[in-house]
Amino acid sequence: MTASFDRADATTRVVGLRSSHGVGLIGVPRSGLRLSWRVEGARPGLRQLAYEIADGAPGSSLATRGVVAGEESFGIRIEEALAARERRAYAVRIATEDGWTAWSDPLVVEAGVDGSDLDARVIGIPSEIDGAVQLLRREFTLPAAPARGRLRLSALGLVDAWINGHRATDALLTPGWTSYQGRVLVDTLDVTALLRPGVNVVVLAVADGWYRGRMGFAARTGIYGDCSGALAQIETERGVVAVTDETWRGGFGAITAASIYDGTEIDLRRDDPAVHEPGFADAGWVAASVIDTNPALFQPRSAPPVRVVAELPMSPSEYEGRVQLDAAQNVTGWVRLVVRGRAGDVVTIRHAEVREPSGALHTAALRAARATDVYTLAADGESVLEPAFTFHGFRYAEVDGADVVAATAMCISSDLPARSAFRSSHPALDRFHANVFWSQRDNFVSIPTDCPQRDERLGWTGDAQAFAATANTLMDAESFWISWLRDLEIDQTDEGGVPSVVPDIIRFEDMRMGGVPVDNMGRAGWADAATIVPFAVHESFGSDEVLERQLTSMRRWVDHLRRRAGDGVVLPTEPFQYGDWLDPDAPAARPWEAKVSADFVANAFYVRSVRLLARAERLVGEPARGDDLDALADRVAAVTWERWGERASSTQTGAALALEFAVAPAGRRAAIAQGLADDVRRQGGRIATGFLGTPLVLFALSRAGHLAEAFLMVLRREAPSWLYQVDRGATTVWERWDAIRPDGSIHGGDMDAGSPDTEGAGMLSFNHYAYGAMIDWVYRTVAGLAPDTEAPGYRVVHVAPRPAVGLDSAAAEIETPLGRLAIDWAVVDDTFTATLDVPFGARALLDLPVTEQSLVTVDGAPAPAELTHGRHTLTVTRPAVAAPA
């Protein structure tokens, strides 16, 4: 160490110390903890030279773990596992050229419990599928108010908990959807304030949810088991004071039906508040039974739960004698309704994303999902109505049966913090950015779903891999993805095949295309989520954790592909691939019949997955395997190009895959890019890509220097295009480019009979995020902020904003692991000016929009090649401006 380490750096501060599980979560997994921090107040030119972590019991003196040289400040692994229930405080300080900082504020991490650490058992009472919600009840006595109380809560199904009449948490749909055959989450809740001296009452409400209720387009029930039940254990500093066992009593209350697809039915006349009071007369109730369950399935939660994340007032109007409500935004959740009526009145609320041209709710796209909540009022006067154990995708609702006093759209999502913001001189592009954010919010409900409204709502892997990079820019989603990827690995077959949906509830006979069953396992562009999603997380958040966790899964998937290819190098033609799903030129009833060859698509993704595994091996695995894998990728790419490449690259998706996945020979790439640009120009920017091509086509153009054509696509207003949706009033992203046609009619969502859709009904969603994947390009190219592939997590930032005619200003900010990265640029009077904020620990590489006539300055001086932390002013005279028209 240098002499500067003997003095204090009084200006620089370590802030925002956090764990890899996010802020506020308690009861986290006992092992695998990682810490991250940010630095503020450092003078220009300083670097972190070393760090020191101290830990110990909260409130006591913390012991140092020793000085570690280096600049790393996120994803720092804590090797020692915590004991079950242990609370441990951590603090950090860093050394700069000016000396040591003060210690950060402490972060207290509280470990959770595994099933083997619990005395509680899963209990329940007999109930009908998607029928009346079970109520399970127990009284217990405490000698005094506890200093600390914890509720361990989980379920085979969904559970809400009340202690002494107060809801124990604001989390919803607990414990969330995982691959239940492999793991079920346990929530740890701080219930200290709810416990009291004397008799206490705990009540659990249990619904079937994803575990036993009707799920999937095949309308299966009992997918994971034939009995729903709950697990709960209450602990204080004195020990365990209540556990679910045979001593609990069970009955039914006001919720007479609860279904994720169909909604909730509640008879308020059956509500009995006394159930929360000591001495409740439980005549007619029965003893709960223990449900035989493997304790090893139960594991601590590691990512934020689902919560209400927004409340939007709904405006009323009248349609054919009924009240219609409009939230002005397509959301996921339900309506909190205040009505005025009489005892016995039946109030019905139906939901829809859009209205027909006539003004009626468009419900055909819901298929077999009723998406309807029904209430029977208990008393005259005003009543507040909210469902439970369900959610709907809707902008509009229609109420019948009582006078509406007020209505609020309650918006739910996995509680992930927004990570970024964007605005520009183009209002329609700004609106589309907002639409993409809302589609992510609406579809990140415990898992990354395809849609939130119809009888599906499944974790389609193709949608996830297409959107992952954008998702990570928009939200702090690292722990969310790591959790979901664990389920992906659980659902892999013994041969390494990856399913089309995770958690996987599809059986071979469930899914038909063209009237015949198709295999949902190992489909190109879907199963490749096993490699693509981990790297999207790694690049955006910087930690190696996701790669270390998923390396075995990635290997198994690539080995699976190699076995399928056999001695033929490339994958053979197979009976079915999704291909470039929903290519706008494919037959509406056969969306897998895209312009680009499905064989080319499958092998392009094979190349991509092999190359990504090679990178993972070099980073966290066996580096020597990387060269062999790259050689394999080169062989597959060569044969793929030889067999299908020239023809495939005449399509937008084929060209994008050939370029972005390096399938085309190096000597052909410039010509392919030129051909792609010519095609885009010839079609006036018309989008001709489906789910797999759309995330890639803009990058394929701009990286090859064809910015004008990329902007021609981005700014196009006619269908099919991104901004066409905005002009038609969309507030989320559509599944089909022409979901609402130019004449205002609604697409029928045509699909062949025997498709994944119930009885051949339409496939039409107004809330699918896949086509919103272009927003990652907007941040990287319009705003000009991109993480470096080799220095992930924005350690190195490429600052490369690109103005265009019709888009002459933009501003964006991203909360990187190092801190706030932001840019605000505009072109005025033929001068480009930008304010750039670079966080401590990051280096910004400048690639500004220059021409041969440009003069570039940074902070009033000739521009350096790179910048370090601080605020900088960038100026370019006579900048390059793309001309899409």
Side-chain angles (χ1 to χ4, degrees), residues 454-543:
R454 67 189 181 212
D455 55 347
E456 195 163 351
R457 314 184 201 188
L458 305 179
W460 286 93
T461 47
D463 304 50
Q465 71 82 13
F467 189 70
T470 291
N472 294 332
T473 301
L474 293 177
M475 293 184 187
D476 185 357
E478 182 178 17
S479 62
F480 176 89
W481 285 121
I482 288 175
S483 178
W484 181 73
L485 286 166
R486 292 184 65 190
D487 295 316
L488 182 148
E489 184 170 10
I490 289 169
D491 281 331
Q492 279 186 271
T493 64
D494 292 342
E495 297 79 23
V498 177
S500 297
V501 299
V502 172
D504 182 23
I505 63 168
I506 296 178
R507 305 298 175 257
F508 179 75
E509 62 272 20
D510 292 353
M511 193 163 69
R512 294 172 178 267
M513 298 289 178
V516 298
V518 297
D519 190 354
N520 104 95
M521 284 287 175
R523 300 306 89 193
W526 272 250
D528 298 282
T531 55
I532 293 173
V533 174
F535 260 97
V537 174
H538 170 69
E539 182 175 279
S540 190
F541 296 102
S543 173

Side-chain angles (χ1 to χ4, degrees), residues 38-293:
R38 298 177 179 180
V39 175
E40 294 180 352
R43 66 175 177 81
L46 286 188
R47 296 177 300 121
Q48 175 183 302
L49 302 177
Y51 66 84
E52 189 173 14
I53 297 174
D55 67 337
S60 66
S61 297
L62 304 185
T64 180
R65 289 170 166 261
V67 175
V68 179
E71 296 186 54
E72 291 302 305
S73 62
F74 53 87
I76 306 301
R77 181 188 289 107
I78 301 298
E79 298 291 350
E80 298 85 357
L82 299 172
R85 303 176 178 84
E86 181 182 1
R87 299 176 74 243
R88 182 163 289 272
Y90 297 89
V92 175
R93 66 173 184 165
I94 71 165
T96 72
E97 290 87 344
D98 287 353
W100 283 104
T101 68
W103 288 97
S104 70
D105 291 337
L107 167 72
V108 177
V109 176
E110 181 172 331
V113 295
D114 296 306
S116 59
D117 300 314
L118 294 169
D119 299 327
R121 306 288 300 279
V122 178
I123 62 170
I125 61 174
S127 61
E128 295 182 2
I129 292 177
D130 287 340
V133 168
Q134 303 176 40
L135 294 181
L136 306 172
R137 184 180 183 280
R138 169 75 191 275
E139 297 180 13
F140 61 97
T141 301
L142 294 177
R148 180 179 301 116
R150 296 291 185 263
L151 169 62
R152 319 290 180 182
L153 183 67
S154 189
L156 304 181
L158 302 176
V159 61
D160 280 345
W162 287 263
I163 295 178
N164 297 323
H166 298 281
R167 203 165 186 274
T169 173
D170 60 355
L172 303 164
L173 305 174
T174 301
W177 193 5
T178 52
S179 295
Y180 293 128
Q181 79 277 15
R183 66 184 190 123
V184 183
L185 300 183
V186 178
D187 282 19
T188 293
L189 308 173
D190 183 350
V191 295
T192 308
L194 303 183
L195 299 172
R196 63 196 183 196
V199 179
N200 291 257
V201 182
V202 55
V203 176
L204 308 178
V206 185
D208 291 326
W210 296 289
Y211 183 83
R212 191 178 74 140
R214 177 168 68 93
M215 289 299 300
F217 36 72
R220 292 187 177 276
T221 58
I223 292 171
Y224 295 99
D226 54 11
C227 296
S228 297
L231 177 148
Q233 180 162 308
I234 299 176
E235 306 165 3
T236 72
E237 67 275 12
R238 295 173 179 267
V240 176
V241 298
V243 300
T244 44
D245 57 19
E246 301 95 328
T247 64
W248 288 56
R249 301 279 288 171
F252 300 101
I255 304 176
T256 58
S259 163
I260 286 177
Y261 288 164
D262 293 335
T264 303
E265 297 180 11
I266 301 177
D267 187 343
L268 295 170
R269 297 171 301 183
R270 297 169 57 93
D271 187 30
D272 188 350
V275 74
H276 298 288
E277 298 298 327
F280 170 70
D282 58 5
W285 284 38
V286 298
S289 299
V290 170
I291 300 171
D292 187 28
T293 310

Side-chain angles (χ1 to χ4, degrees), residues 681 708 712 805 883-885:
R681 178 71 64 179
L712 187 61
V805 174

Side-chain angles (χ1 to χ4, degrees), residues 15-16 53 94-95 102 126 191 205 236 425 428 504-505 565 651 705 714 747 816 873:
V15 299
I53 297 174
I94 71 165
V191 295
T236 72
S425 60
D504 182 23
I505 63 168
T651 67
V714 170
H747 196 294
T816 78
T873 300

Side-chain angles (χ1 to χ4, degrees), residues 487-846:
D487 295 316
L488 182 148
E489 184 170 10
I490 289 169
D491 281 331
Q492 279 186 271
T493 64
D494 292 342
E495 297 79 23
V498 177
S500 297
V501 299
V502 172
D504 182 23
I505 63 168
I506 296 178
R507 305 298 175 257
F508 179 75
E509 62 272 20
D510 292 353
M511 193 163 69
R512 294 172 178 267
M513 298 289 178
V516 298
V518 297
D519 190 354
N520 104 95
M521 284 287 175
R523 300 306 89 193
W526 272 250
D528 298 282
T531 55
I532 293 173
V533 174
F535 260 97
V537 174
H538 170 69
E539 182 175 279
S540 190
F541 296 102
S543 173
D544 289 342
E545 178 181 7
V546 67
L547 300 182
E548 291 176 352
R549 288 180 177 272
Q550 296 305 124
L551 182 61
T552 299
S553 172
M554 297 170 74
R555 287 171 171 170
R556 291 173 61 207
W557 168 235
V558 170
D559 287 346
H560 173 86
L561 289 170
R562 297 182 76 161
R563 285 192 295 272
R564 280 166 57 188
D567 295 334
V569 181
V570 295
L571 298 171
T573 298
E574 296 181 307
F576 177 77
Q577 290 280 5
Y578 297 110
D580 192 27
W581 183 260
L582 279 173
D583 175 331
D585 300 311
R590 301 172 71 82
W592 59 92
E593 293 185 356
K595 296 182 292 294
V596 65
S597 160
D599 290 321
F600 178 79
V601 170
N603 284 286
F605 274 91
Y606 181 10
V607 171
R608 180 62 170 164
S609 279
V610 174
R611 292 199 198 283
L612 290 175
L613 177 59
R615 288 176 56 194
E617 293 286 5
R618 292 189 178 98
L619 288 169
V620 299
E622 300 176 23
R625 297 179 64 172
D627 291 343
D628 291 340
L629 288 163
D630 278 336
L632 171 63
D634 290 342
R635 293 195 299 273
V636 176
V639 177
T640 299
W641 181 258
E642 179 183 350
R643 292 190 186 178
W644 302 287
E646 291 291 352
R647 183 172 181 179
S649 63
S650 67
T651 67
Q652 289 185 9
T653 291
L657 289 168
L659 295 169
E660 290 300 295
F661 290 176
V663 176
R668 291 283 296 123
R669 291 174 194 168
I672 294 167
Q674 184 63 58
L676 173 60
D678 291 344
D679 178 74
V680 170
R681 178 71 64 179
R682 184 169 53 250
Q683 297 193 62
R686 179 183 184 272
I687 293 173
T689 54
F691 273 28
L692 298 185
T694 297
L696 304 173
V697 66
L698 295 176
F699 286 109
L701 287 165
S702 61
R703 285 175 176 150
H706 298 289
L707 270 169
E709 288 74 19
F711 277 109
L712 187 61
M713 296 186 81
V714 170
L715 302 181
R716 178 182 165 93
R717 308 299 281 262
E718 299 82 9
S721 71
W722 291 287
L723 301 188
Y724 169 79
Q725 302 178 27
V726 172
D727 291 342
R728 300 305 307 179
T731 62
T732 44
V733 182
W734 296 347
E735 179 179 25
R736 292 181 182 264
W737 292 111
D738 57 348
I740 297 178
R741 298 188 175 97
D743 64 3
S745 62
I746 298 173
H747 196 294
D750 316 38
M751 284 290 287
D752 278 356
S755 74
D757 308 303
T758 303
E759 299 177 355
M763 188 186 75
L764 184 67
S765 162
F766 295 89
N767 205 347
H768 252 69
Y769 51 56
Y771 288 142
M774 59 84 75
I775 288 298
D776 186 48
W777 182 89
V778 169
Y779 275 90
R780 293 172 184 245
T781 310
V782 178
L785 301 177
D788 185 90
T789 301
E790 301 302 322
Y794 298 88
R795 294 176 176 94
V796 173
V797 182
H798 292 269
V799 180
R802 294 295 184 261
V805 174
L807 191 53
D808 54 21
S809 70
E813 59 182 80
I814 302 170
E815 287 296 329
T816 78
L818 297 167
R820 179 178 177 268
L821 170 68
I823 192 169
D824 188 345
W825 65 258
V827 177
V828 179
D829 296 333
D830 203 24
T831 299
F832 170 95
T833 303
T835 300
L836 176 69
D837 292 313
V838 181
F840 180 90
R843 294 186 296 123
L845 306 182
L846 299 183

